[in-house]
Amino acid sequence: MSSKKPYNCNISALGHYVPEKVIDNKYFENYLDTTDEWITERTGIKERRYLEKDQPTSYAATKAVEELLKNRNMSPDEIELIVLTTVTPDMIYPSTACIIQNNIGAKNCWGFDLIAACSGFIFALYTGAQFIKSGTHKKVIVCGADKMSLIADPDDRNNIVLFGDGAAAFLLEPGEDENYGIIDAVARIDGSGGRNLCQLAGGSLHPASHETVDKKMHFIYQDGRTVFKDAVKGMADVSLEIMKRNNLKSEDVAYLVPHQANHRIIAAIAGRMGVSMDKVMMNIHKYGNTTTASIPLCIYEYWADGKLKKDDNIILSSFGAGYTYGSIYVKWTL
Ligand code: ACO
């Protein structure tokens, strides 16, 4: 066994895509028993973006990866691995990673899709980082992309108002200084929560049939109140664990980057962590819950606006169907 230290893993470039079509809360007032006031107060969401009918998830993901390549001034042929995370793949197979690879013309890479619902990006980032840290790969793309507008029942006020579409991608590369980049991660699954948040049909348990369509089993099902409570506990627990084992006090944290599900969930987690709301990244008001894109979209925007700086300690935190939950500690380098 070699005693050589593992490489560290930096986030070295970012890209994103949000659809042009904006759907504000008033849109739902036209046909559902809901109001802009209720949605804003109970969720923090003012508007969300929708992809067009002929734009699948891979459309948004490809745009995000193309922007990343441009930002890094890099040829697609340099990419060695694409880890794509989504709950709305273009098809069950081939993987959406293959579709992106073909769209961008990356000739020297492999890749796969990873399913962990709203924790998808944290699990994918943790996974992608291992290929850099082990020294086997030098350029890994991690991309979260979802078209949630397709799987939320437009007639269900409990769900349709919450979700939006989008994509964002990070490039991972080895760095010189082990005190920077992706420092630590905590990831957990708890299948006992599976029934509280799921898409029942379309898999081998309930294959697509007239009955599954009639019963709306291809849409998101959730027990919102239970998920709310479990999300606060799960996200706070893993975030506090990662802070503790890296000797980080709340004042050392430049930003908490929570999954953007509900502003009340986010405020409750920040409270438990002792992090003030001015240190919490938020864009839920503009995009709603974009599932796997939510965390990287937030980071992209704060970085692009110059609010995220080199040396900042950031704590990423997520919770989603599964249950899946996790937290990553990054010391920012860009
Ligand atoms: N407009 C008006 N009324 C609504 C709406 C709406 N859009 N949606 C729900 N209501 C009603 C409910 O029907 C209920 O009415 P009832 O008492 O007559 O049955 C009432 O509001 C209160 O319902 P609650 O469930 O208590 O409302 P709550 O304040 O908890 O908000 C919500 C519901 C927004 C779904 C919340 O529970 C939530 O955010 N849960 C987390 C779910 C989530 O984000 N899941 C996404 C994936 S997992 C994750 O990302 C963490």
Side-chain angles (χ1 to χ4, degrees), residues 33-34 38 42-43 118 157-158 161-163 197 222 224-225 227-228 231 259 261-262 264-265 289 319:
D33 182 13
T34 190
W38 192 96
R42 305 306 291 165
T43 73
C118 295
R157 68 177 184 176
N158 290 289
V161 302
L162 302 178
F163 295 97
L197 177 54
Q222 66 172 323
R225 244 177 255 186
V227 172
F228 189 106
H259 169 53
N262 183 313
R264 291 181 296 134
I265 295 179
N289 182 349
F319 189 90

Side-chain angles (χ1 to χ4, degrees), residues 258-280:
H259 169 53
Q260 308 282 302
N262 183 313
H263 76 129
R264 291 181 296 134
I265 295 179
I266 294 170
I269 298 156
R272 289 190 186 197
M273 293 170 67
V275 172
S276 57
M277 285 306 285
D278 59 318
K279 289 177 160 190
V280 179

Side-chain angles (χ1 to χ4, degrees), residues 69-173:
L69 294 173
K70 199 167 156 225
N71 287 343
R72 188 72 176 92
N73 194 19
M74 186 178 126
S75 152
D77 290 345
E78 293 178 56
I79 302 168
E80 292 164 312
L81 167 63
I82 299 170
V83 185
L84 186 279
T85 178
T86 185
V87 293
T88 52
D90 287 19
M91 294 170 262
I92 301 296
Y93 59 88
S95 72
T96 304
C98 292
I99 298 167
I100 299 164
Q101 172 274 328
N102 190 46
N103 286 351
I104 61 174
K107 294 192 192 69
N108 301 308
C109 74
W110 68 294
F112 56 90
D113 290 4
L114 182 154
I115 303 177
C118 295
S119 299
F121 196 80
I122 287 207
F123 283 20
L125 193 56
Y126 189 19
T127 303
Q130 304 313 308
F131 290 94
I132 299 291
K133 290 190 183 219
S134 67
T136 59
H137 291 61
K138 298 268 182 287
K139 285 191 167 61
V140 172
I141 285 185
V142 176
C143 179
D146 266 303
K147 185 172 183 175
M148 298 305 291
S149 58
L150 261 194
I151 60 164
D153 178 358
D155 297 322
D156 178 2
R157 68 177 184 176
N158 290 289
N159 276 315
I160 188 64
V161 302
L162 302 178
F163 295 97
D165 306 339
F170 288 0
L171 178 67
L172 306 182
E173 291 186 81

